[in-house]
Amino acid sequence: MVPKKLLPYPPGHTSAESYVEKLLEFITSSDMLQTLCGGVHILDFLVREPDLYETVLPPEWRDWLCPREIPDVLDLLMREDIDVLLKQSSGDYSSCILPESQNCQRNGSTQWRGGPPPPPSLLRYIENVRNLALDRSYCIDTRSSETEKFPVLSRQIAVGMKPKKAHEVVNFAAFIDDLASDLASTKIHNISHLVDFGSGQNYLGRVLISPLYGKSVIAVESKKLNIDGARDMDVSAKLAEKKIIRWNKKEHRMRGQPGSVEDRSEDRAPGQSPSAPRNPRLDAQQLDREVTKVAPGPLPTDPAIGDIQYVEHMIVDGDLTVVTSELDGRRKGDTVDNNADAATDVVLQSGHQVSLSDSIPADPRLMVISLHSCGNLTHHGLRSLVLNESVKAVAMVGCCYNLVTERLGPPTHKLPPLRARNPRLDETGSACDPQGFPMSERMATYKHRSEEGVRLNITARMMAVQAPLNWTAMDCEDFFTRHFFRALLQRIFLDLGIVQQPVTPDHVVRGGSSRGWSGGGEPIIIGSLRKACYASFPAYVRGATKKLEDETERGMLIKERMSGLKDDEILEYEQTYRHKRHELSLIWSLMAFSATLVESVIVVDRWLYLKEQKEVQDCWVQTVFDYAQSPRNLVVVGIKR
């Protein structure tokens, strides 16, 4: 059950402890890493003199990188044999066995893909990053025989899944089943229920309750729309029965007059008597348009099928009292409609909606799971192992690191309710979140350069969700174009007085900007635009301006300053800065490559948190997906004593 390596660290490290120490030392001492991971921002690229390309990179790196094509640079960063190239740079040609693309001459001169070799300082930096990034390779079949390979999902259960989602669900469901079986066989814990944090459309839960596994799942989701959609898909997957509901159109047209059909609890508020007025929220016109409606009913009686319980609840910490108290039915203040059928929700006075099962053990033993839980949701899941007696194990796959909050510094995340309205105000700009990164005391108290604690701003965390190893030529062309357009629009904003001049470069390139960018005031966040907006730079400017006029507090200022800008002037900007597009692409490639260490730091911090808890018996990290299909492929596992 527990792997030999508690962390998937790369070769060359003797233990998880030695790896963690080297990782912490490098990320807190490397100026180049701190610069590329959070010290620079795309918005600053064209608004500085000299620009960031000249400010950030050493001259020998710039001279070598500038004439290189992006695919060649990406190959060097992530695929080439750096050890051989380092030996060449030191004059050692004894083991020079390279592809034809690399010319190695024993007379003392070397070439790399028809040009000079990379500078030694760049090679050493690449070597350091690679040697400290967690190994993401995945053995697609960890089972012992052909008969134990991962099952193929039926067409009904796989409804709505794209290939990426199907790969994730199949692999993670098999992992959870194996983990629960191992816990039961070793008599550590006999898991009764799986609690899926942030279940969404319940793709994972649907597979786990299917005859493939027959598990009992509690799907915790904050959006009722997702729960309703999941229930409909349960019906499509033949995991719940169809139920035909007939509406009396005349009755509802007359609003409240008795009808000719039997009164139904679904049309009444919970606890309402049959003679009570109808729920005014029902839309009579909508009811007139449909004669029948299909609603999910109870699960079929197939013994191989597990059971699913939906809980509508906003998770704000690791306390699962709401879930566990609903399971045993002993929570004070619950209002239960005993007349409701099996498909009807139980509505609690606290506002949470739950569907309860009749077959719940007196002492539920829970395993909290999550497939790509966003931001702090992974933190809450891991903390639930310590905060709840009934939680016996956790297995969490995280994502969306940009939505993680910060424990040690001012907030730099993009969650509007949590982001400070004015970062210059000390009262709001210095707020810290105890639920944020880092979770572990080791990282929170790690001393370095006369400072204490490991910090990651939003730019570093945003870059950590990149997957440069999966980039194709088309991918690069698309998002490098988007980045260039955004940086160029920022230059226009500066020239027109919409944004302020950035602060001094020295402050930024040392990673001093906690907000991830160096301009004055709040950054202008554009977000996504229609695909047509990226057809040309004028189309992008017009689309972005229109969106900002409608959605931001500075809309009137932007509309006033941008209204006189003609397409010819916009095209002149593009022509003036066209040569900078390649330099921006090089910087972005280096940032994405370096940010593989940021993700490693976040995952290691979560493992360290579990390791520090006295209630935890075993904890480890391993890959559960193929990186090519799902780059966020690391699961953090914890087992209670």
Side-chain angles (χ1 to χ4, degrees), residues 33-41 457 459-460 508 511-513 516-517 591:
L33 180 73
Q34 293 181 352
T35 297
L36 294 173
C37 294
V40 295
H41 194 280
N457 64 20
T459 305
V508 178
S513 176
W517 82 299
M591 291 168 64

Side-chain angles (χ1 to χ4, degrees), residues 244-296:
I244 304 299
I245 301 175
R246 299 187 179 278
W247 304 96
N248 187 314
K249 295 188 290 184
K250 290 184 179 180
E251 173 195 3
H252 291 288
R253 193 179 293 124
M254 306 207 38
R255 288 261 188 180
Q257 292 191 9
S260 60
V261 298
E262 182 181 358
D263 285 316
R264 296 174 54 260
S265 61
E266 289 90 339
D267 295 348
R268 301 188 300 273
Q272 218 173 11
S273 66
S275 59
R278 297 288 179 177
N279 191 333
R281 292 179 296 177
L282 291 175
D283 187 344
Q285 293 181 355
Q286 179 182 356
L287 298 175
D288 288 346
R289 290 195 294 268
E290 54 183 346
V291 178
T292 63
K293 181 179 179 181
V294 177

Side-chain angles (χ1 to χ4, degrees), residues 541-589:
V541 171
R542 301 306 181 196
T545 302
K546 177 62 177 175
K547 183 176 182 180
L548 293 171
E549 289 175 0
D550 298 336
E551 297 182 7
T552 68
E553 297 179 358
R554 287 176 283 188
M556 293 301 296
L557 173 64
I558 293 174
K559 183 177 182 179
E560 176 187 345
R561 301 288 174 89
M562 298 290 289
S563 60
L565 196 64
K566 300 179 180 179
D567 284 356
D568 290 344
E569 296 175 281
I570 296 174
L571 289 172
E572 185 177 351
Y573 268 98
E574 183 179 15
Q575 188 63 33
T576 301
Y577 291 95
R578 183 179 298 275
H579 67 287
K580 293 294 184 182
R581 184 184 188 278
H582 182 65
E583 296 177 356
L584 183 149
S585 302
L586 291 171
I587 286 284
W588 186 267
S589 299

Side-chain angles (χ1 to χ4, degrees), residues 179-305:
L179 180 59
S181 299
D182 289 342
L183 289 174
S185 63
T186 55
K187 299 183 179 180
I188 299 177
H189 300 295
N190 188 13
I191 301 299
S192 65
H193 288 75
L194 304 174
V195 181
D196 187 1
F197 266 30
S199 58
Q201 296 288 320
N202 197 37
Y203 295 115
L204 175 62
R206 195 165 299 113
V207 173
L208 288 169
I209 69 170
S210 71
L212 295 172
Y213 300 108
K215 301 294 185 184
S216 296
V217 176
I218 304 168
V220 183
E221 170 59 38
S222 63
K223 297 181 180 178
K224 188 177 186 300
L225 183 64
N226 284 339
I227 294 178
D228 293 341
R231 285 198 171 108
D232 290 340
M233 283 192 280
D234 290 344
V235 173
S236 299
K238 301 187 184 304
L239 299 176
E241 294 177 346
K242 285 186 178 181
K243 187 175 181 180
I244 304 299
I245 301 175
R246 299 187 179 278
W247 304 96
N248 187 314
K249 295 188 290 184
K250 290 184 179 180
E251 173 195 3
H252 291 288
R253 193 179 293 124
M254 306 207 38
R255 288 261 188 180
Q257 292 191 9
S260 60
V261 298
E262 182 181 358
D263 285 316
R264 296 174 54 260
S265 61
E266 289 90 339
D267 295 348
R268 301 188 300 273
Q272 218 173 11
S273 66
S275 59
R278 297 288 179 177
N279 191 333
R281 292 179 296 177
L282 291 175
D283 187 344
Q285 293 181 355
Q286 179 182 356
L287 298 175
D288 288 346
R289 290 195 294 268
E290 54 183 346
V291 178
T292 63
K293 181 179 179 181
V294 177
L299 292 175
T301 57
D302 185 348
I305 297 179

Side-chain angles (χ1 to χ4, degrees), residues 132-206:
L132 291 172
L134 290 174
D135 184 5
R136 314 302 289 275
S137 58
Y138 175 56
C139 179
I140 199 66
D141 184 14
T142 58
R143 302 189 168 196
S144 58
S145 67
E146 287 293 324
T147 59
E148 293 181 340
K149 285 184 179 293
F150 298 138
V152 177
L153 299 182
S154 67
R155 181 175 163 184
Q156 291 86 357
I157 294 178
V159 62
M161 295 188 198
K162 294 183 178 180
K164 176 179 180 290
K165 176 60 69 176
H167 171 80
E168 294 167 349
V169 167
V170 166
N171 283 269
F172 197 49
F175 173 82
I176 294 299
D177 180 58
D178 288 345
L179 180 59
S181 299
D182 289 342
L183 289 174
S185 63
T186 55
K187 299 183 179 180
I188 299 177
H189 300 295
N190 188 13
I191 301 299
S192 65
H193 288 75
L194 304 174
V195 181
D196 187 1
F197 266 30
S199 58
Q201 296 288 320
N202 197 37
Y203 295 115
L204 175 62
R206 195 165 299 113

Side-chain angles (χ1 to χ4, degrees), residues 329-346:
R330 291 192 293 267
R331 184 179 178 186
K332 295 181 180 180
D334 290 357
T335 302
V336 180
D337 182 5
N338 295 322
N339 296 322
D341 59 29
T344 306
D345 287 340
V346 175

Side-chain angles (χ1 to χ4, degrees), residues 9 14 42 79 89 97 100 104 155 166 177 200 239 244 257 273 280 295 382 426 462 504 555 585 593 600 620 640:
Y9 49 82
T14 58
I42 205 72
R79 299 180 183 90
S89 67
I97 302 177
E100 293 183 0
C104 179
R155 181 175 163 184
D177 180 58
L239 299 176
I244 304 299
Q257 292 191 9
S273 66
L382 297 177
D426 292 338
M462 180 74 77
T504 58
S585 302
F593 166 70
S600 298
W620 69 90
K640 184 172 284 183

